[in-house]
């Protein structure tokens, strides 16, 4: 189960991602927004991130206009490692090296074709499990209050 959240600036890309996930047979839960009316990204980024942190959803995808604000919100949730990606290599590396569990994208910068390629890479790439990466992730997680 994938948690999805966006504001109005990420809505179109989120809709494209939802259609793509359906085509792949991947279940998702949409935490909003549900239209293109102006809204506040913290509301939807927080809901999606909490679903990942609680285990309700395995991973999350959050989208606003730039991806910056909504990634900051997601990273406020204990247990979430959200990475802002605008190309495929970062999506692969953040899974392999950081075991990121939430992907952020900017709907104003990433189109639907590239966005779905980023999503596929993020979802299909496994954590490397290398000791050096596990150690670094543990240090990062130990910083949480």
């Amino acid at each position: 189960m994938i948690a999805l959240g966006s504001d109005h600036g990420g809505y179109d890309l989120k809709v494209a991602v939802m259609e793509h996930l359906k085509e792949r047979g991947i279940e998702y839960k949409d935490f909003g927004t549900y239209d293109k009316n102006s809204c506040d990204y913290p509301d939807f980024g927080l809901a999606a991130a909490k679903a990942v942190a609680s285990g309700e959803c395995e991973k999350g995808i959050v989208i606003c206009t730039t991806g910056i604000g909504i990634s900051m919100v997601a990273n406020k949730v204990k247990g979430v490692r959200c990475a802002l990606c605008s190309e495929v290599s970062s999506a692969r590396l953040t899974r392999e090296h950081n075991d990121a569990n939430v992907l952020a994208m900017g709907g104003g910068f990433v189109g639907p074709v590239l966005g779905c390629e980023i999503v596929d890479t993020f979802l299909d790439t496994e954590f490397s499990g290398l000791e050096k990466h596990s150690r670094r992730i543990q240090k990062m997680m130990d910083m949480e209050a």
Side-chain angles (χ1 to χ4, degrees), residues 77-118:
V77 177
K78 187 174 184 174
V80 167
R81 290 177 306 284
C82 179
L84 173 58
C85 298
S86 57
E87 37 70 37
V88 172
S89 293
S90 293
R92 178 178 55 80
L93 290 169
T94 198
R95 288 288 306 129
E96 288 178 353
H97 294 187
N98 311 117
D99 199 16
N101 53 10
V102 177
L103 167 66
M105 294 188 290
F109 298 98
V110 175
V113 172
L114 177 58
C116 291
E117 290 175 4
I118 292 168

Side-chain angles (χ1 to χ4, degrees), residues 3 18 20 23 36 43 49 53-54 59 68 75 78 82 85 91 94-95 97-98 101 106 114 123 127 130 134 136 140:
M18 290 189 314
H20 183 69
E23 289 171 6
K36 290 168 65 169
D43 300 334
S54 73
K59 291 186 178 78
I68 297 168
N75 278 315
K78 187 174 184 174
C82 179
C85 298
T94 198
R95 288 288 306 129
H97 294 187
N98 311 117
N101 53 10
L114 177 58
L123 295 179
F127 174 55
L130 292 175
S134 295
R136 294 167 186 161
M140 179 177 23

Side-chain angles (χ1 to χ4, degrees), residues 6-111:
S6 77
D7 70 355
H8 57 284
Y11 180 78
D12 288 337
L13 181 55
K14 182 182 73 170
V15 169
V17 167
M18 290 189 314
E19 291 172 8
H20 183 69
L21 292 174
K22 272 187 211 169
E23 289 171 6
R24 286 194 56 186
I26 297 173
E27 292 184 27
Y28 63 85
K29 184 169 182 181
D30 183 7
F31 290 89
T33 192
Y34 305 107
D35 57 42
K36 290 168 65 169
N37 292 323
S38 183
C39 60
D40 298 332
Y41 61 82
D43 300 334
F44 310 106
L46 180 64
K50 282 184 172 181
V52 173
S54 73
E56 176 184 355
C57 295
E58 180 185 353
K59 291 186 178 78
I61 301 168
V62 294
I63 309 168
C64 67
T65 301
T66 64
I68 297 168
I70 205 160
S71 68
M72 291 177 167
V73 168
N75 278 315
K76 296 285 186 185
V77 177
K78 187 174 184 174
V80 167
R81 290 177 306 284
C82 179
L84 173 58
C85 298
S86 57
E87 37 70 37
V88 172
S89 293
S90 293
R92 178 178 55 80
L93 290 169
T94 198
R95 288 288 306 129
E96 288 178 353
H97 294 187
N98 311 117
D99 199 16
N101 53 10
V102 177
L103 167 66
M105 294 188 290
F109 298 98
V110 175

